[in-house]
Amino acid sequence: MVREDKMVNIFDTTLRDGEQTPGVSLSPSEKLELAIKLDELGANIIEAGSAITSKGEREAIKLVAEQKLNAEISSFVRALPVDIDAALSCNVDSVHLVVPTSDIHMEYKLRKTREENLAGAMHAVEYAKDHGLIVELSAEDATRSDVEFLKELFKKGEELKADRICICDTVGILTPVKSIELIKTMKNAIKIPISIHCHNDFGMATANTLSAISAGADQCHVTINGIGERAGNASLEEVVMSLKSLYNIDTTIQSEKLYKISRIVSKYMKLSVPANKALVGDNAFAHEAGIHVDGLMKSTETYEPIGPEAVGNRRKIILGKHSGKAALKYKLELMNIGLSHEEFEEVYSKIKSFGDLGKYISDIDLKTVISQVQGVELERKVILDEITVMSGNKVSPLASINLKFANDCNIKDNIREAAYGLGPVDAAINAVKKALTGVADIELEDYSVRAMTGGTDALIEVVVHLRKGNEVVEVKKAHGDVVMASVEAMMDGINLLI
């Protein structure tokens, strides 16, 4: 089913600490930055948190509301005047008023009858409307609720001027077919806009959300990277791009910013984005198999449903044992490197050998192999001359760094800088970035570390992704010292990009 009657509203719940992702807590400054980024992305409504939670949460929500963003700022509330008062104190535009509606929730959580629950919900709706708030009336556990009771709740809410209703698939038991049936049933009974809120317990949150929209839902609740309680929520990037590419339904989301905000959310919530995550994963547009790369060279549509630039991601050619000559040729073209026929064959042979050993060939590995084949040494534009790091239980981690530059960089003097950090690694990387300010516009996009051996003297492998404009390099570095592994990986990547 394709509907082209209007845009679908995007209600983003990421700021409710990742829809209450276990172990995740955002600071007020982090919430503010993410809210601004979500607003720039084009989210129609931003749920900034649950005001009743704590004083700190109220301060964060109020900070977001004071920005006067384009998006409507909402707070999650229970059907209690005290929750609504807390939201009002934050100057939000709306409340996401959630009422448990399944017999399971009413019996075991609320310990209320249907009549008591309904009366409390209507009092809350009336109270919120009397105080000038936009009200989205949500039925928690709606998909395990009696349909007639749902209708009664929503109809009474509509009579009291609730602005929207929302069907919550709280434990993720919907299927696409049931999603369509439920939305159609509610569309026939309710005239105000309907929203869908899906959880991903069975891996169907995105599919159920899309089915609900195809059946007439006007709005969907989503989170960046699909984060959320248990298995998460419907993924904003998946829903938005599926609507656009597969259903011909538009939203206000600026899709080219999706990759960037995905990484910001990942950083603040300390939840890595899986490499194979749809659309924004680092392997979402990665290709290794020879037959795939050969097809890509002829037309990218052969093995990509959309171009990576549509979501701000990038195409990546992986070199390994599955790579053919087409992959190497394409990779060299992307890196603007020319080789003679003999050099190409030798480089290809070395790559195959590395691949058979189970080794993935990074950009710096490839350049090293090429330099060996050509008998030349890789020229380093920026040289690490000295680094000193100080840290302790009563000392803020501090790093000082001294960089030298090649003659053709037109930088005569060494650059010495110092920077603090949350730890010694953070301080060292901050010092490197500070030293390069104004010299090279290079951004650290991702950082990971793992111990390759056991013990306190373990060999540490650091992997960094650095970006300069549209060019991204991945560098791996192993060292016994995590600080040195991190800085050396940074320096190798910087030299590749410069």
Side-chain angles (χ1 to χ4, degrees):
M1 181 186 296
V2 177
R3 41 172 288 195
E4 301 180 51
D5 52 331
K6 58 182 177 179
M7 286 189 177
V8 171
N9 270 2
I10 300 298
F11 187 123
D12 189 276
T13 63
T14 302
L15 290 194
R16 199 188 342 148
D17 286 347
E19 230 274 25
Q20 299 176 336
T21 302
V24 170
S25 181
L26 294 170
S27 69
S29 61
E30 290 170 340
K31 281 209 175 196
L32 177 59
E33 181 178 347
L34 284 179
I36 292 171
K37 293 296 183 185
L38 287 168
D39 192 57
E40 292 173 349
L41 183 69
N44 305 102
I45 304 166
I46 298 172
E47 188 178 300
S50 177
I52 197 65
T53 300
S54 68
K55 180 182 177 182
E57 186 77 344
R58 287 189 289 279
E59 290 173 353
I61 297 170
K62 190 172 183 179
L63 192 61
V64 171
E66 288 173 346
Q67 301 306 306
K68 303 300 180 185
L69 303 175
N70 293 318
E72 175 187 311
I73 305 303
S74 183
S75 175
F76 175 96
V77 298
R78 295 168 297 176
L80 298 171
V82 65
D83 280 31
I84 297 168
D85 286 340
L88 285 165
S89 73
C90 300
N91 300 322
V92 295
D93 303 304
S94 66
V95 286
H96 177 207
L97 200 162
V98 180
V99 180
T101 55
S102 69
D103 290 335
I104 295 171
H105 277 235
M106 286 186 284
E107 179 180 354
Y108 295 105
K109 188 171 79 170
L110 296 181
R111 300 191 184 279
K112 289 182 179 180
T113 64
R114 288 188 181 184
E115 292 72 23
E116 290 171 331
N117 191 27
L118 190 60
M122 292 309 103
H123 176 66
V125 170
E126 197 167 22
Y127 187 82
K129 290 304 297 182
D130 286 346
H131 285 79
L133 289 167
I134 298 168
V135 174
E136 178 157 335
L137 177 59
S138 275
E140 184 181 15
D141 207 19
T143 51
R144 292 193 297 182
S145 301
D146 177 68
V147 173
E148 293 305 315
F149 181 62
L150 279 182
K151 286 182 184 179
E152 185 179 5
L153 172 78
F154 290 147
K155 283 181 177 179
K156 287 185 178 295
E158 185 176 33
E159 290 170 5
L160 292 175
K161 307 300 181 186
D163 299 272
R164 303 181 292 262
I165 64 158
C166 179
I167 294 168
C168 298
D169 185 25
T170 302
V171 292
I173 61 164
L174 265 185
T175 65
V177 171
K178 289 179 180 178
S179 180
I180 291 171
E181 291 173 352
L182 185 54
I183 292 294
K184 284 185 175 180
T185 297
M186 292 303 153
K187 287 289 282 187
N188 289 332
I190 310 298
K191 303 305 177 188
I192 57 177
I194 296 179
S195 188
I196 184 72
H197 178 114
C198 293
H199 282 259
N200 202 40
D201 296 78
F202 287 93
M204 292 191 286
T206 293
N208 289 332
T209 299
L210 294 170
S211 295
I213 292 169
S214 73
D218 308 277
Q219 179 176 279
C220 57
H221 290 204
V222 289
T223 60
I224 300 293
N225 297 335
I227 55 176
E229 298 173 86
R230 304 182 311 278
N233 293 72
S235 164
L236 182 148
E237 54 276 8
E238 293 173 13
V239 170
V240 166
M241 295 311 295
S242 295
L243 286 175
K244 183 177 181 178
S245 302
L246 308 178
Y247 288 78
N248 197 28
I249 298 174
D250 207 358
T251 68
T252 55
I253 298 298
Q254 297 183 42
S255 63
E256 68 279 2
K257 296 180 179 179
L258 287 171
Y259 181 88
K260 180 70 174 179
I261 197 169
S262 164
R263 291 312 182 271
I264 295 172
V265 169
S266 172
K267 173 186 173 183
Y268 284 159
M269 296 194 172
K270 300 177 179 61
L271 295 170
S272 60
V273 179
N276 65 335
K277 172 73 173 67
L279 300 165
V280 294
D282 283 331
N283 283 350
F285 298 92
H287 309 271
E288 179 182 352
I291 189 171
H292 281 222
V293 177
D294 181 63
L296 280 174
M297 292 178 68
K298 294 167 182 173
S299 172
T300 57
E301 293 181 354
T302 53
Y303 289 102
E304 290 176 350
I306 61 172
E309 61 280 351
V311 293
N313 206 336
R314 64 188 179 96
R315 184 173 297 112
K316 186 162 66 172
I317 304 301
I318 304 295
L319 296 179
K321 70 176 182 179
H322 299 293
S323 301
K325 291 183 179 180
L328 177 57
K329 181 181 178 182
Y330 193 25
K331 182 77 169 180
L332 292 173
E333 288 176 358
L334 291 175
M335 298 176 73
N336 198 28
I337 295 174
L339 296 177
S340 67
H341 175 72
E342 292 75 15
E343 289 171 341
F344 180 91
E345 292 294 329
E346 189 173 350
V347 168
Y348 180 69
S349 176
K350 287 181 178 291
I351 287 172
K352 279 293 192 181
S353 298
F354 285 136
D356 285 337
L357 294 174
K359 183 172 175 58
Y360 152 70
I361 310 300
S362 68
D363 292 350
I364 196 165
D365 290 332
L366 177 59
K367 285 198 172 185
T368 301
V369 168
I370 291 170
S371 67
Q372 291 173 349
V373 168
Q374 293 181 329
V376 296
E377 188 175 342
L378 277 175
E379 183 183 7
R380 301 182 72 83
K381 300 290 186 181
V382 187
I383 301 159
L384 175 64
D385 180 54
E386 179 187 349
I387 182 169
T388 304
V389 180
M390 180 172 63
S391 185
N393 68 326
K394 294 186 178 181
V395 178
S396 296
L398 175 66
S400 66
I401 196 163
N402 188 44
L403 301 180
K404 291 182 177 180
F405 295 83
N407 293 332
D408 58 355
C409 287
N410 297 319
I411 300 174
K412 295 181 180 180
D413 299 324
N414 291 3
I415 293 182
R416 180 179 289 275
E417 283 290 356
Y420 289 101
L422 294 176
V425 171
D426 189 44
I429 289 176
N430 287 344
V432 172
K433 292 193 289 187
K434 192 174 179 182
L436 289 172
T437 301
V439 177
D441 184 19
I442 294 174
E443 177 184 358
L444 175 62
E445 196 168 79
D446 196 23
Y447 172 93
S448 61
V449 61
R450 71 180 180 96
M452 299 175 69
T453 56
T456 57
D457 60 346
L459 190 64
I460 302 297
E461 181 185 64
V462 167
V463 182
V464 298
H465 290 81
L466 298 175
R467 178 184 290 272
K468 181 183 180 186
N470 291 325
E471 188 176 4
V472 179
V473 296
E474 176 186 90
V475 181
K476 296 181 181 180
K477 205 72 178 181
H479 201 287
D481 185 326
V482 66
V483 174
M484 290 309 302
S486 303
V487 173
E488 288 178 3
M490 286 282 293
M491 296 307 300
D492 284 349
I494 287 163
N495 276 287
L496 275 172
L497 291 169
I498 291 181

